[in-house]
């Protein structure tokens, strides 16, 4: 799995994210956020050809427990996970370089 254009219909739990095996990028944002929509082409390009990385796109907002558990303050926030553990994050990426650093943290 690589880039996902749609937010999940139901937010996963923190426990389910921590139990994931393999590599994942957890993206927090909303469909109406201009920063989120502006970053989508960069995110899609960064994840192109990366079938080894799951892209988990979660709609965030007040009262959403997953975003609060990761202390998300601004959108989009992308968190790189290796076997359910955070290894890096980027907030409001505006360049391929920022996303490249995020994905580099997932390298073995």
């Amino acid at each position: 799995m690589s880039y996902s254009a749609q937010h999940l219909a139901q937010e996963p739990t923190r426990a389910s994210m921590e139990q994931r095996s393999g590599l994942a990028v957890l993206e927090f944002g909303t469909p109406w956020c201009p920063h989120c929509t502006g970053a989508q082409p960069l995110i899609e390009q960064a994840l192109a050809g990366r079938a080894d990385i799951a892209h988990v796109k979660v709609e965030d907002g007040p009262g959403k427990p997953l975003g609060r558990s990761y202390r998300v303050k601004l959108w989009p926030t992308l968190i790189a996970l290796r076997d359910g553990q955070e290894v890096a994050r980027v907030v409001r990426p505006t360049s391929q370089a920022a996303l490249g650093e995020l994905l580099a943290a997932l390298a073995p």
Side-chain angles (χ1 to χ4, degrees):
M1 174 198 289
S2 56
Y3 178 76
S4 175
Q6 300 296 318
H7 291 88
L8 292 176
Q10 184 164 351
E11 176 179 289
T13 64
R14 176 73 184 245
S16 70
M17 293 308 301
E18 290 176 345
Q19 292 170 0
R20 288 185 77 97
S21 61
L23 307 177
V25 170
L26 179 56
E27 177 186 348
F28 292 94
T30 68
W32 51 264
C33 164
H35 297 286
C36 300
T37 56
Q40 291 311 297
L42 292 171
I43 297 167
E44 183 175 10
Q45 184 180 3
L47 292 173
R50 295 300 310 261
D52 60 322
I53 300 174
H55 180 214
V56 181
K57 192 170 183 172
V58 177
E59 187 168 350
D60 194 34
K64 298 281 191 164
L66 188 61
R68 302 305 62 78
S69 74
Y70 281 102
R71 297 188 172 116
V72 172
K73 303 283 188 206
L74 298 171
W75 303 322
T77 293
L78 290 91
I79 299 174
L81 302 172
R82 180 185 299 117
D83 295 326
Q85 300 304 305
E86 181 175 343
V87 294
R89 74 171 54 201
V90 64
V91 178
R92 290 194 175 165
T94 57
S95 68
Q96 280 302 327
L99 292 168
E101 288 178 26
L102 179 79
L103 296 181
L106 292 173

PDB file of all heavy atoms in Angstrom, residues 1-4 25 40-55 96 99 103:
ATOM      1  N   MET A   1       0.847  -1.171   0.000  1.00  0.00           N
ATOM      2  CA  MET A   1       0.000   0.000   0.000  1.00  0.00           C
ATOM      3  C   MET A   1       0.890   1.231   0.000  1.00  0.00           C
ATOM      4  O   MET A   1       1.908   1.275   0.657  1.00  0.00           O
ATOM      5  CB  MET A   1      -0.891  -0.006   1.253  1.00  0.00           C
ATOM      6  CG  MET A   1      -1.699   1.268   1.393  1.00  0.00           C
ATOM      7  SD  MET A   1      -2.364   1.591   3.037  1.00  0.00           S
ATOM      8  CE  MET A   1      -3.609   0.365   3.169  1.00  0.00           C
ATOM      9  N   SER A   2       0.500   2.224  -0.731  1.00  0.00           N
ATOM     10  CA  SER A   2       1.220   3.496  -0.674  1.00  0.00           C
ATOM     11  C   SER A   2       0.204   4.607  -0.449  1.00  0.00           C
ATOM     12  O   SER A   2      -0.681   4.456   0.370  1.00  0.00           O
ATOM     13  CB  SER A   2       2.056   3.704  -1.935  1.00  0.00           C
ATOM     14  OG  SER A   2       1.246   3.613  -3.080  1.00  0.00           O
ATOM     15  N   TYR A   3       0.297   5.699  -1.171  1.00  0.00           N
ATOM     16  CA  TYR A   3      -0.525   6.887  -0.935  1.00  0.00           C
ATOM     17  C   TYR A   3      -2.019   6.577  -0.923  1.00  0.00           C
ATOM     18  O   TYR A   3      -2.533   5.865  -1.767  1.00  0.00           O
ATOM     19  CB  TYR A   3      -0.236   7.943  -2.003  1.00  0.00           C
ATOM     20  CG  TYR A   3      -1.076   9.176  -1.862  1.00  0.00           C
ATOM     21  CD1 TYR A   3      -0.789  10.115  -0.885  1.00  0.00           C
ATOM     22  CD2 TYR A   3      -2.160   9.396  -2.695  1.00  0.00           C
ATOM     23  CE1 TYR A   3      -1.563  11.250  -0.744  1.00  0.00           C
ATOM     24  CE2 TYR A   3      -2.939  10.532  -2.558  1.00  0.00           C
ATOM     25  CZ  TYR A   3      -2.637  11.454  -1.579  1.00  0.00           C
ATOM     26  OH  TYR A   3      -3.409  12.580  -1.433  1.00  0.00           O
ATOM     27  N   SER A   4      -2.707   7.164   0.054  1.00  0.00           N
ATOM     28  CA  SER A   4      -4.158   7.056   0.161  1.00  0.00           C
ATOM     29  C   SER A   4      -4.748   8.456   0.073  1.00  0.00           C
ATOM     30  O   SER A   4      -4.400   9.325   0.867  1.00  0.00           O
ATOM     31  CB  SER A   4      -4.555   6.412   1.491  1.00  0.00           C
ATOM     32  OG  SER A   4      -5.948   6.423   1.634  1.00  0.00           O
ATOM     33  N   VAL A  25       3.235   5.507   7.473  1.00  0.00           N
ATOM     34  CA  VAL A  25       3.188   6.948   7.663  1.00  0.00           C
ATOM     35  C   VAL A  25       1.762   7.268   8.079  1.00  0.00           C
ATOM     36  O   VAL A  25       0.812   6.989   7.350  1.00  0.00           O
ATOM     37  CB  VAL A  25       3.569   7.722   6.387  1.00  0.00           C
ATOM     38  CG1 VAL A  25       3.274   9.210   6.546  1.00  0.00           C
ATOM     39  CG2 VAL A  25       5.037   7.508   6.055  1.00  0.00           C
ATOM     40  N   GLN A  40      -0.842  17.614  -0.279  1.00  0.00           N
ATOM     41  CA  GLN A  40      -1.159  16.305  -0.862  1.00  0.00           C
ATOM     42  C   GLN A  40      -0.310  15.926  -2.073  1.00  0.00           C
ATOM     43  O   GLN A  40       0.158  14.791  -2.146  1.00  0.00           O
ATOM     44  CB  GLN A  40      -2.652  16.200  -1.183  1.00  0.00           C
ATOM     45  CG  GLN A  40      -3.532  16.155   0.052  1.00  0.00           C
ATOM     46  CD  GLN A  40      -3.075  15.155   1.090  1.00  0.00           C
ATOM     47  OE1 GLN A  40      -3.043  13.955   0.840  1.00  0.00           O
ATOM     48  NE2 GLN A  40      -2.694  15.650   2.266  1.00  0.00           N
ATOM     49  N   PRO A  41      -0.055  16.823  -3.028  1.00  0.00           N
ATOM     50  CA  PRO A  41       0.810  16.417  -4.150  1.00  0.00           C
ATOM     51  C   PRO A  41       2.217  16.008  -3.689  1.00  0.00           C
ATOM     52  O   PRO A  41       2.789  15.054  -4.219  1.00  0.00           O
ATOM     53  CB  PRO A  41       0.861  17.659  -5.038  1.00  0.00           C
ATOM     54  CG  PRO A  41      -0.387  18.403  -4.708  1.00  0.00           C
ATOM     55  CD  PRO A  41      -0.624  18.157  -3.241  1.00  0.00           C
ATOM     56  N   LEU A  42       2.759  16.706  -2.698  1.00  0.00           N
ATOM     57  CA  LEU A  42       4.085  16.348  -2.182  1.00  0.00           C
ATOM     58  C   LEU A  42       4.065  14.982  -1.503  1.00  0.00           C
ATOM     59  O   LEU A  42       4.972  14.169  -1.689  1.00  0.00           O
ATOM     60  CB  LEU A  42       4.561  17.396  -1.167  1.00  0.00           C
ATOM     61  CG  LEU A  42       4.886  18.785  -1.691  1.00  0.00           C
ATOM     62  CD1 LEU A  42       5.133  19.748  -0.538  1.00  0.00           C
ATOM     63  CD2 LEU A  42       6.083  18.732  -2.611  1.00  0.00           C
ATOM     64  N   ILE A  43       3.016  14.739  -0.717  1.00  0.00           N
ATOM     65  CA  ILE A  43       2.902  13.461  -0.006  1.00  0.00           C
ATOM     66  C   ILE A  43       2.728  12.323  -1.000  1.00  0.00           C
ATOM     67  O   ILE A  43       3.381  11.281  -0.894  1.00  0.00           O
ATOM     68  CB  ILE A  43       1.741  13.510   1.006  1.00  0.00           C
ATOM     69  CG1 ILE A  43       2.020  14.566   2.079  1.00  0.00           C
ATOM     70  CG2 ILE A  43       1.504  12.139   1.630  1.00  0.00           C
ATOM     71  CD1 ILE A  43       0.821  14.927   2.934  1.00  0.00           C
ATOM     72  N   GLU A  44       1.868  12.539  -1.987  1.00  0.00           N
ATOM     73  CA  GLU A  44       1.644  11.503  -3.004  1.00  0.00           C
ATOM     74  C   GLU A  44       2.934  11.197  -3.754  1.00  0.00           C
ATOM     75  O   GLU A  44       3.278  10.034  -3.968  1.00  0.00           O
ATOM     76  CB  GLU A  44       0.555  11.950  -3.977  1.00  0.00           C
ATOM     77  CG  GLU A  44       0.209  10.906  -5.004  1.00  0.00           C
ATOM     78  CD  GLU A  44      -0.950  11.291  -5.890  1.00  0.00           C
ATOM     79  OE1 GLU A  44      -1.395  12.451  -5.859  1.00  0.00           O
ATOM     80  OE2 GLU A  44      -1.424  10.404  -6.621  1.00  0.00           O
ATOM     81  N   GLN A  45       3.674  12.218  -4.115  1.00  0.00           N
ATOM     82  CA  GLN A  45       4.945  12.016  -4.832  1.00  0.00           C
ATOM     83  C   GLN A  45       5.955  11.285  -3.952  1.00  0.00           C
ATOM     84  O   GLN A  45       6.654  10.380  -4.416  1.00  0.00           O
ATOM     85  CB  GLN A  45       5.508  13.356  -5.283  1.00  0.00           C
ATOM     86  CG  GLN A  45       6.762  13.242  -6.106  1.00  0.00           C
ATOM     87  CD  GLN A  45       7.283  14.608  -6.545  1.00  0.00           C
ATOM     88  OE1 GLN A  45       6.740  15.643  -6.190  1.00  0.00           O
ATOM     89  NE2 GLN A  45       8.362  14.595  -7.312  1.00  0.00           N
ATOM     90  N   ALA A  46       6.029  11.657  -2.680  1.00  0.00           N
ATOM     91  CA  ALA A  46       7.001  11.025  -1.775  1.00  0.00           C
ATOM     92  C   ALA A  46       6.693   9.545  -1.578  1.00  0.00           C
ATOM     93  O   ALA A  46       7.610   8.731  -1.446  1.00  0.00           O
ATOM     94  CB  ALA A  46       7.005  11.744  -0.428  1.00  0.00           C
ATOM     95  N   LEU A  47       5.413   9.193  -1.551  1.00  0.00           N
ATOM     96  CA  LEU A  47       5.034   7.799  -1.320  1.00  0.00           C
ATOM     97  C   LEU A  47       4.903   6.978  -2.599  1.00  0.00           C
ATOM     98  O   LEU A  47       4.699   5.768  -2.533  1.00  0.00           O
ATOM     99  CB  LEU A  47       3.725   7.746  -0.518  1.00  0.00           C
ATOM    100  CG  LEU A  47       3.823   8.250   0.919  1.00  0.00           C
ATOM    101  CD1 LEU A  47       2.452   8.306   1.558  1.00  0.00           C
ATOM    102  CD2 LEU A  47       4.766   7.385   1.738  1.00  0.00           C
ATOM    103  N   ALA A  48       5.032   7.631  -3.753  1.00  0.00           N
ATOM    104  CA  ALA A  48       4.936   6.917  -5.027  1.00  0.00           C
ATOM    105  C   ALA A  48       5.996   5.822  -5.086  1.00  0.00           C
ATOM    106  O   ALA A  48       7.167   6.051  -4.781  1.00  0.00           O
ATOM    107  CB  ALA A  48       5.109   7.884  -6.188  1.00  0.00           C
ATOM    108  N   GLY A  49       5.578   4.636  -5.426  1.00  0.00           N
ATOM    109  CA  GLY A  49       6.507   3.516  -5.552  1.00  0.00           C
ATOM    110  C   GLY A  49       6.957   2.940  -4.226  1.00  0.00           C
ATOM    111  O   GLY A  49       7.880   2.134  -4.191  1.00  0.00           O
ATOM    112  N   ARG A  50       6.354   3.345  -3.146  1.00  0.00           N
ATOM    113  CA  ARG A  50       6.744   2.843  -1.823  1.00  0.00           C
ATOM    114  C   ARG A  50       5.651   1.922  -1.280  1.00  0.00           C
ATOM    115  O   ARG A  50       5.011   2.213  -0.276  1.00  0.00           O
ATOM    116  CB  ARG A  50       6.997   4.004  -0.852  1.00  0.00           C
ATOM    117  CG  ARG A  50       8.170   4.891  -1.198  1.00  0.00           C
ATOM    118  CD  ARG A  50       9.511   4.155  -1.241  1.00  0.00           C
ATOM    119  NE  ARG A  50       9.798   3.338  -0.090  1.00  0.00           N
ATOM    120  CZ  ARG A  50      10.572   3.687   0.913  1.00  0.00           C
ATOM    121  NH1 ARG A  50      11.157   4.859   0.926  1.00  0.00           N
ATOM    122  NH2 ARG A  50      10.784   2.844   1.913  1.00  0.00           N
ATOM    123  N   ALA A  51       5.447   0.818  -1.939  1.00  0.00           N
ATOM    124  CA  ALA A  51       4.439  -0.158  -1.519  1.00  0.00           C
ATOM    125  C   ALA A  51       4.782  -0.777  -0.165  1.00  0.00           C
ATOM    126  O   ALA A  51       3.921  -1.375   0.475  1.00  0.00           O
ATOM    127  CB  ALA A  51       4.301  -1.244  -2.578  1.00  0.00           C
ATOM    128  N   ASP A  52       6.029  -0.600   0.265  1.00  0.00           N
ATOM    129  CA  ASP A  52       6.448  -1.143   1.560  1.00  0.00           C
ATOM    130  C   ASP A  52       5.997  -0.280   2.739  1.00  0.00           C
ATOM    131  O   ASP A  52       6.130  -0.677   3.890  1.00  0.00           O
ATOM    132  CB  ASP A  52       7.972  -1.292   1.600  1.00  0.00           C
ATOM    133  CG  ASP A  52       8.704   0.037   1.391  1.00  0.00           C
ATOM    134  OD1 ASP A  52       8.235   0.859   0.560  1.00  0.00           O
ATOM    135  OD2 ASP A  52       9.744   0.246   2.037  1.00  0.00           O
ATOM    136  N   ILE A  53       5.441   0.909   2.445  1.00  0.00           N
ATOM    137  CA  ILE A  53       5.011   1.831   3.497  1.00  0.00           C
ATOM    138  C   ILE A  53       3.499   2.005   3.429  1.00  0.00           C
ATOM    139  O   ILE A  53       2.966   2.436   2.412  1.00  0.00           O
ATOM    140  CB  ILE A  53       5.697   3.207   3.352  1.00  0.00           C
ATOM    141  CG1 ILE A  53       7.215   3.062   3.444  1.00  0.00           C
ATOM    142  CG2 ILE A  53       5.182   4.181   4.407  1.00  0.00           C
ATOM    143  CD1 ILE A  53       7.967   4.348   3.159  1.00  0.00           C
ATOM    144  N   ALA A  54       2.822   1.681   4.515  1.00  0.00           N
ATOM    145  CA  ALA A  54       1.374   1.906   4.598  1.00  0.00           C
ATOM    146  C   ALA A  54       1.126   3.378   4.892  1.00  0.00           C
ATOM    147  O   ALA A  54       1.791   3.965   5.744  1.00  0.00           O
ATOM    148  CB  ALA A  54       0.763   1.041   5.697  1.00  0.00           C
ATOM    149  N   HIS A  55       0.168   3.971   4.184  1.00  0.00           N
ATOM    150  CA  HIS A  55      -0.210   5.364   4.419  1.00  0.00           C
ATOM    151  C   HIS A  55      -1.562   5.350   5.130  1.00  0.00           C
ATOM    152  O   HIS A  55      -2.563   4.939   4.552  1.00  0.00           O
ATOM    153  CB  HIS A  55      -0.298   6.112   3.093  1.00  0.00           C
ATOM    154  CG  HIS A  55      -0.675   7.552   3.224  1.00  0.00           C
ATOM    155  ND1 HIS A  55      -1.440   8.185   2.283  1.00  0.00           N
ATOM    156  CD2 HIS A  55      -0.413   8.477   4.182  1.00  0.00           C
ATOM    157  CE1 HIS A  55      -1.617   9.440   2.641  1.00  0.00           C
ATOM    158  NE2 HIS A  55      -1.009   9.640   3.799  1.00  0.00           N
ATOM    159  N   GLN A  96       9.831  18.458  -0.843  1.00  0.00           N
ATOM    160  CA  GLN A  96      10.170  17.046  -0.929  1.00  0.00           C
ATOM    161  C   GLN A  96      11.294  16.706   0.043  1.00  0.00           C
ATOM    162  O   GLN A  96      11.367  15.593   0.540  1.00  0.00           O
ATOM    163  CB  GLN A  96      10.571  16.660  -2.353  1.00  0.00           C
ATOM    164  CG  GLN A  96       9.411  16.432  -3.277  1.00  0.00           C
ATOM    165  CD  GLN A  96       8.465  15.348  -2.786  1.00  0.00           C
ATOM    166  OE1 GLN A  96       8.856  14.367  -2.156  1.00  0.00           O
ATOM    167  NE2 GLN A  96       7.195  15.528  -3.065  1.00  0.00           N
ATOM    168  N   LEU A  99       9.866  15.677   3.402  1.00  0.00           N
ATOM    169  CA  LEU A  99       9.284  14.345   3.345  1.00  0.00           C
ATOM    170  C   LEU A  99      10.350  13.281   3.134  1.00  0.00           C
ATOM    171  O   LEU A  99      10.241  12.165   3.642  1.00  0.00           O
ATOM    172  CB  LEU A  99       8.211  14.273   2.266  1.00  0.00           C
ATOM    173  CG  LEU A  99       6.969  15.106   2.592  1.00  0.00           C
ATOM    174  CD1 LEU A  99       6.075  15.241   1.370  1.00  0.00           C
ATOM    175  CD2 LEU A  99       6.214  14.512   3.755  1.00  0.00           C
ATOM    176  N   LEU A 103      10.920   9.906   5.418  1.00  0.00           N
ATOM    177  CA  LEU A 103      11.016   8.539   4.890  1.00  0.00           C
ATOM    178  C   LEU A 103      12.395   7.948   5.145  1.00  0.00           C
ATOM    179  O   LEU A 103      12.518   6.732   5.335  1.00  0.00           O
ATOM    180  CB  LEU A 103      10.666   8.522   3.403  1.00  0.00           C
ATOM    181  CG  LEU A 103       9.230   8.932   3.077  1.00  0.00           C
ATOM    182  CD1 LEU A 103       8.987   8.863   1.573  1.00  0.00           C
ATOM    183  CD2 LEU A 103       8.214   8.115   3.830  1.00  0.00           C
TER     184      LEU A 103
END
